[in-house]
Amino acid sequence: MCGIVGYLGKANAASVLISGLKRLEYRGYDSAGLALIDNEQILVSKAAGKVANLNERAHTNWDPELFERAATGIAHTRWATHGPPTEVNAHPHLDQTGDIALVHNGIIENYRALRARLEGKGHHFASETDTEVLAHLIGDCDNGDLFQAVCDALSQVEGTFGVAVISSREPDKIITARRGSPIVIGIGDGEAIIASDASAIVAHTQRVIYLDDNDIAIVTADSVDVRDLNNIPVTREIAELGLDAGATEKGGFEHFMLKEIHEQPEALSNAIRGRLDLHLGSSVLAGMGTSQRELAELGRVVMVACGTSLHASMVGEYAFEDLADIHAEVQQAAEFRYRNPILGNRDFVIAISQSGETADTLAAVKEAQQKGAFVMSLVNVVGSTIARETGRGVYLHAGPEISVASTKAFTCQVSVLLMMALKLGRGRRFSREEGLKIAREIEIIPELVAQVIRKNDLIAEIAEGYVKDEHAFFIGRGPMYPVALEGALKLKEISYIHAEGYHAAELKHGPIALLQPGTPVIAVACEGPAKDKTLGNVEECRARGAKILGIVTEGDTEAEEVMDDFISVPRAHPLVATIPAVVALQLFSYHVARLRGCEIDQPRNLAKSVTVE
Ligand code: F6R
């Protein structure tokens, strides 16, 4: 949510910043801006809309020599929180002298009080943003030492921030700090690049420092000095990114979403590799940090997550109950911390998040830790806040997910949850032989997914029949219920078709009133204990003239016959089958959105990585 880039080198700051913003654009894309230091002056260019608009604006307004000459700058791509996405509200914001520029992710909660106080001292504000207040506050605190001014200002701030600040009076440094909003510092050869995530850094260097909450760093082209907000030096190790620059590019696909759907067989292989024990019929997930004895004593599994990760957790809930005989529940992270979750030291809380930065999930982690539960994470982004906060957990190894609509994270999350349930199940419930059966089913998930992806053209053809619809229902039962929810989420977020995910049995408790002849109902009816009941619900929809698209098991002619259209997915254990089934729905949503001409990778109003509550 919002992207920050800062650069210090010998030249070409503007070009580096703009290409960094393009790589971060998936984090927010309603407006963008950049500030450069040139001849002891701050120069700012901003534009509403995409980074492409900013690029055009900067090239029109600025001398080409400035592009080559300026060596220090900061830039930002925004997802609006305070004030609409206009040019004036875009970052960077300046202090009252125009000598200091700031980019900011997060929310300054006490900005109204700070603004009133500064207005009382004669400050005038041009924008409606909380960020401009922070820029003025830094200016107000500045007595000739930018680092100290940023420390003093941030100590007055309530809320969250990831910031990068420059001053024309100290042109060779960027001050950067974080609380609740990530900052990574890339250390190059005679250059440094600061960003809110590694995708803007990877083209420059693999060597990075991750700031922790309440860290503040003085960055020059050749040095990084990290302190806390009380000016006490702290040691932060240099880490290797281990990311390939190509992984954040489209690689010949029309959209990141399509690329990431196609990457799933490989991503799943990476998530599963080395983690199945095909001798003992169990799994090896060292990051869980629990002994087999501790696992046997666990009372309950509680998963906390948002959005797509929440739906993956719901599949996990079935897996823990079915495979491990353990009470499992899923809680929306945003609700969890504001109710009174009853937790104890036999409760196993798993925070599930692709980005590892989602504010509500992070808050839920802190709440669970405070209540003494055993907390771990299931995260994709290495070094992310939730991964570090929990200290123990399992990485997905799915590779960077750039498309705002999550795809490969979901399938990898479900696969790892199945492996966790298998591990718990072996300690509590089933024999080696039974464990082996499940392990072998998990082992072939990448191949099952590859088989669905090979149906891409067929799915694109089927999608043509749903392009003109404005409403759709997705239904399922058992573990296919969360698959239906995820299918509806995918369709609505990228195609803007109003899609509702419902438990198939719930439809007749109200929503069936909305069915009219031709209303699409997408029924996830793969083989499993709930299939016959789902087919019964499909008949109820057919009787009201609905147009049915079925996700069915290959060779299940009984299911095929009740559908107007169907996509068949390979036969598998009902929990495992959730994965190929969801891939069919990802492709279906993708093609509907493509045929409707939507901006698939950057849907309106959305942003990747939701770092505000
Ligand atoms: C939907 C989507 C979101 C995220 C949600 C949680 O396609 O991507 O619903 O799943 O914002 O994000 P993470 O998993 O990063 O915590």
Side-chain angles (χ1 to χ4, degrees):
M1 195 154 262
C2 303
I4 286 178
V5 202
Y7 181 73
L8 292 141
K10 293 190 179 68
N12 290 322
S15 308
V16 173
L17 290 170
I18 288 171
S19 61
L21 284 185
K22 283 187 184 149
R23 285 177 180 272
L24 288 183
E25 201 168 21
Y26 72 111
R27 293 181 68 102
Y29 33 82
D30 59 38
S31 53
L34 85 143
L36 299 173
I37 301 182
D38 186 54
N39 285 330
E40 293 174 22
Q41 260 193 318
I42 300 264
L43 304 176
V44 177
S45 186
K46 298 185 190 185
K50 298 274 171 76
V51 173
N53 298 357
L54 171 68
N55 191 25
E56 202 185 309
R57 174 74 55 90
H59 277 93
T60 314
N61 291 353
W62 284 344
D63 181 352
E65 277 182 13
L66 175 66
F67 273 79
E68 285 173 25
R69 192 169 65 227
T72 303
I74 53 175
H76 190 262
T77 175
R78 180 168 184 248
W79 186 86
T81 57
H82 293 66
T86 56
E87 194 175 315
V88 73
N89 286 333
H91 303 202
H93 287 285
L94 300 177
D95 77 326
Q96 74 283 13
T97 64
D99 293 338
I100 292 173
L102 162 77
V103 288
H104 164 229
N105 287 352
I107 291 184
I108 308 297
E109 285 165 7
N110 58 337
Y111 84 102
R112 282 193 187 83
L114 293 169
R115 181 173 171 142
R117 203 178 81 209
L118 290 164
E119 278 171 342
K121 290 172 92 175
H123 288 247
H124 294 286
F125 293 92
S127 78
E128 296 161 67
T129 65
D130 51 341
T131 303
E132 191 186 12
V133 175
L134 180 56
H136 278 241
L137 187 62
I138 294 169
D140 196 59
C141 294
D142 190 13
N143 293 318
D145 178 351
L146 182 64
F147 170 79
Q148 196 52 53
V150 178
C151 280
D152 293 347
L154 291 179
S155 64
Q156 299 175 51
V157 156
E158 285 161 24
T160 54
F161 52 79
V163 293
V165 191
I166 53 174
S167 164
S168 58
R169 294 188 289 267
E170 299 176 51
D172 300 328
K173 65 176 73 147
I174 296 178
I175 308 296
T176 182
R178 75 159 273 175
R179 182 189 295 156
S181 204
I183 292 286
V184 192
I185 303 167
I187 304 167
D189 188 10
E191 62 176 3
I193 181 155
I194 292 160
S196 46
D197 82 56
S199 34
I201 293 180
V202 64
H204 294 262
T205 178
Q206 288 286 322
R207 300 174 71 227
V208 294
I209 291 176
Y210 295 99
L211 291 192
D212 276 350
D213 272 352
N214 298 312
D215 282 355
I216 176 162
I218 306 163
V219 183
T220 71
D222 308 301
S223 66
V224 178
D225 177 2
V226 188
R227 305 176 182 206
D228 67 15
L229 288 174
N230 298 318
N231 203 355
I232 312 282
V234 291
T235 309
R236 298 284 171 246
E237 301 295 326
I238 297 179
E240 282 289 313
L241 271 183
L243 256 185
D244 164 16
T248 57
E249 284 159 12
K250 281 192 202 143
F253 285 92
E254 199 180 338
H255 298 100
F256 279 110
M257 182 178 179
L258 190 61
K259 178 189 176 220
E260 287 158 13
I261 291 173
H262 278 76
E263 278 171 354
Q264 286 177 109
E266 196 191 331
L268 286 158
S269 298
N270 292 339
I272 295 168
R273 187 177 302 117
R275 288 173 165 172
L276 282 175
D277 184 336
L278 292 166
H279 176 65
L280 292 177
S282 182
S283 65
V284 189
L285 295 162
M288 281 171 77
T290 38
S291 66
Q292 205 64 28
R293 210 182 110 247
E294 281 170 320
L295 287 182
E297 284 169 5
L298 286 178
R300 189 169 60 134
V301 176
V302 180
M303 286 160 281
V304 288
C306 301
T308 289
S309 298
L310 185 80
H311 299 152
S313 312
M314 290 169 76
V315 179
E317 189 178 356
Y318 287 94
F320 284 114
E321 289 179 356
D322 285 359
L323 302 182
D325 254 348
I326 188 164
H327 175 83
E329 63 185 64
V330 175
Q331 303 245 356
Q332 275 180 13
E335 267 301 293
F336 184 77
R337 65 179 298 207
Y338 291 113
R339 52 201 288 173
N340 177 25
I342 313 297
L343 292 171
N345 59 9
R346 290 182 62 231
D347 291 323
F348 187 37
V349 174
I350 312 175
I352 301 170
S353 171
Q354 187 287 128
S355 62
E357 302 295 346
T358 302
D360 285 317
T361 310
L362 177 61
V365 163
K366 292 184 176 160
E367 176 77 20
Q369 284 170 334
Q370 226 170 37
K371 295 208 153 166
F374 187 92
V375 185
M376 64 158 282
S377 58
L378 179 48
V379 158
N380 190 35
V381 178
V382 175
S384 56
T385 309
I386 292 173
R388 286 184 299 136
E389 183 70 34
T390 51
R392 62 170 91 83
V394 179
Y395 280 122
L396 295 180
H397 299 311
E401 194 180 69
I402 305 291
S403 160
V404 166
S406 182
T407 54
K408 59 180 178 172
F410 178 93
T411 49
C412 290
Q413 285 163 342
V414 172
S415 302
V416 175
L417 287 167
L418 290 176
M419 289 191 283
M420 284 184 183
L422 173 63
K423 188 175 162 85
L424 257 74
R426 273 291 279 127
R428 305 164 68 97
R429 175 176 171 186
F430 44 65
S431 66
R432 174 173 171 269
E433 281 62 39
E434 287 167 309
L436 271 176
K437 246 169 92 184
I438 308 283
R440 291 206 180 98
E441 291 259 1
I442 296 173
E443 192 187 15
I444 60 162
I445 289 172
E447 176 47 32
L448 303 181
V449 167
Q451 287 178 37
V452 179
I453 291 173
R454 286 199 279 274
K455 297 193 172 177
N456 181 42
D457 292 350
L458 169 76
I459 298 174
E461 226 170 88
I462 291 173
E464 283 174 22
Y466 296 80
V467 169
K468 296 209 164 67
D469 292 303
E470 288 309 325
H471 305 276
F473 288 93
F474 285 70
I475 58 169
R477 283 171 173 256
M480 294 303 167
Y481 167 49
V483 171
L485 295 180
E486 177 58 11
L489 177 60
K490 284 291 89 85
L491 187 68
K492 77 182 101 181
E493 69 181 332
I494 61 169
S495 74
Y496 313 137
I497 291 174
H498 168 222
E500 298 261 11
Y502 263 94
H503 190 280
E506 272 292 312
L507 214 58
K508 58 182 163 294
H509 295 285
I512 204 166
L514 293 166
L515 293 191
Q516 289 181 359
T519 304
V521 173
I522 293 91
V524 194
C526 299
E527 271 177 1
K531 186 199 89 174
D532 289 343
K533 293 262 187 269
T534 308
L535 293 187
N537 301 130
V538 166
E539 292 291 3
E540 293 156 10
C541 299
R542 267 163 69 91
R544 280 142 190 101
K547 169 173 72 173
I548 318 281
L549 165 62
I551 309 298
V552 302
T553 304
E554 254 159 27
D556 183 354
T557 47
E558 181 202 18
E560 288 171 7
E561 272 163 21
V562 297
M563 312 294 178
D564 294 294
D565 297 302
F566 65 86
I567 304 167
S568 55
V569 299
R571 189 173 300 274
H573 183 287
L575 286 164
V576 170
T578 56
I579 295 175
V582 98
V583 174
L585 294 177
Q586 293 167 353
L587 281 168
F588 172 72
S589 302
Y590 170 80
H591 287 297
V592 171
R594 179 183 58 80
L595 293 163
R596 284 166 71 98
C598 299
E599 282 229 40
I600 293 179
D601 285 332
Q602 293 170 352
R604 72 176 174 228
N605 301 339
L606 295 178
K608 192 89 178 160
S609 178
V610 182
T611 52
V612 293
E613 284 181 41

